[in-house]
């Protein structure tokens, strides 16, 4: 059971939040844009193999409302040129780098997922789910408090309002 579920559960929890220990910046090189995306996008960038979720795309030409999307292991957009920068959640497998509260959240989620299979008591999993949600909420709050709040840029849209 552990072998079959641990890795997917770990990645799932890591992907839920921009954990400080699992967030990094990277520079991508332009790749080949799929034919189906030609009508909407001008460029495609191959995502790093360890990318779990793209958080932010940065480019000197970026404007409010510029679109991007992730599909088939690529970031597709009209932004950028030969390269583009992005902030993303990476698959950090170095347990020593994980925050203790992330470890608690992961353990709580595994306990929830495995409870019914191991104990054969359906209400136990429900009780464990509540514990997991509380543990995860505390961990995310603590992790989020370790950086300056992101500044909201003033755009022509917000000035008009």
């Amino acid at each position: 059971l552990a072998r079959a579920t641990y890795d997917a559960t770990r990645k799932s929890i890591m992907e839920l939040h921009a954990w400080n220990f699992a967030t990094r910046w990277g520079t991508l090189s332009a790749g080949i844009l799929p034919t189906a995306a030609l009508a909407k996008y001008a460029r495609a960038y191959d995502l790093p193999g360890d990318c779990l979720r793209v958080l932010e795309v940065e480019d000197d030409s970026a404007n409010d409302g510029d679109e991007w999307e992730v599909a088939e292991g690529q970031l597709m957009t009209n932004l950028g040129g030969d390269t583009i920068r992005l902030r993303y959640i990476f698959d950090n497998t170095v347990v020593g780098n994980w925050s203790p509260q992330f470890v608690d959240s992961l353990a709580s989620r595994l306990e929830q997922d495995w409870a019914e299979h191991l104990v054969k008591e359906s209400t136990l999993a429900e009780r464990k789910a509540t514990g997991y949600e509380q543990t995860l909420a505390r961990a995310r709050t603590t992790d989020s408090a370790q950086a300056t709040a992101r500044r909201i840029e003033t755009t022509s849209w917000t000035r008009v309002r």
Side-chain angles (χ1 to χ4, degrees), residues 23-157:
T23 304
R24 68 168 48 144
W25 283 93
T27 301
L28 305 181
S29 297
I32 299 170
L33 184 67
T35 306
L38 285 172
K40 189 171 182 180
Y41 298 112
R43 286 176 261 320
Y45 301 88
D46 294 328
L47 291 172
D50 64 353
C51 180
L52 295 176
R53 180 167 62 109
V54 174
L55 299 170
E56 183 178 350
V57 177
E58 184 181 88
D59 180 66
D60 293 337
S61 67
N63 293 310
D64 193 39
D66 281 334
E67 294 181 10
W68 57 269
E69 91 180 65
V70 172
E72 300 178 29
Q74 291 186 308
L75 172 76
M76 290 178 253
T77 184
N78 291 317
L79 296 170
D82 291 338
T83 62
I84 197 166
R85 284 183 38 88
L86 80 154
R87 189 169 72 97
Y88 67 101
I89 298 171
F90 73 100
D91 185 12
N92 185 340
T93 58
V94 181
V95 177
N97 292 344
W98 299 352
S99 73
Q101 290 194 25
F102 173 82
V103 173
D104 286 347
S105 297
L106 176 59
S108 184
R109 173 66 185 273
L110 292 169
E111 186 178 38
Q112 171 200 335
D113 291 350
W114 297 346
E116 192 171 341
H117 296 287
L118 299 174
V119 182
K120 304 291 186 213
E121 182 187 330
S122 60
T123 60
L124 180 61
E126 293 170 16
R127 291 194 312 267
K128 296 297 180 183
T130 302
Y132 162 68
E133 292 298 332
Q134 292 170 347
T135 303
L136 181 63
R138 276 194 311 272
R140 290 171 71 168
T141 299
T142 301
D143 189 74
S144 295
Q146 295 184 47
T148 304
R150 286 201 151 325
R151 191 170 156 232
I152 298 173
E153 297 294 327
T154 304
T155 65
S156 60
W157 176 257

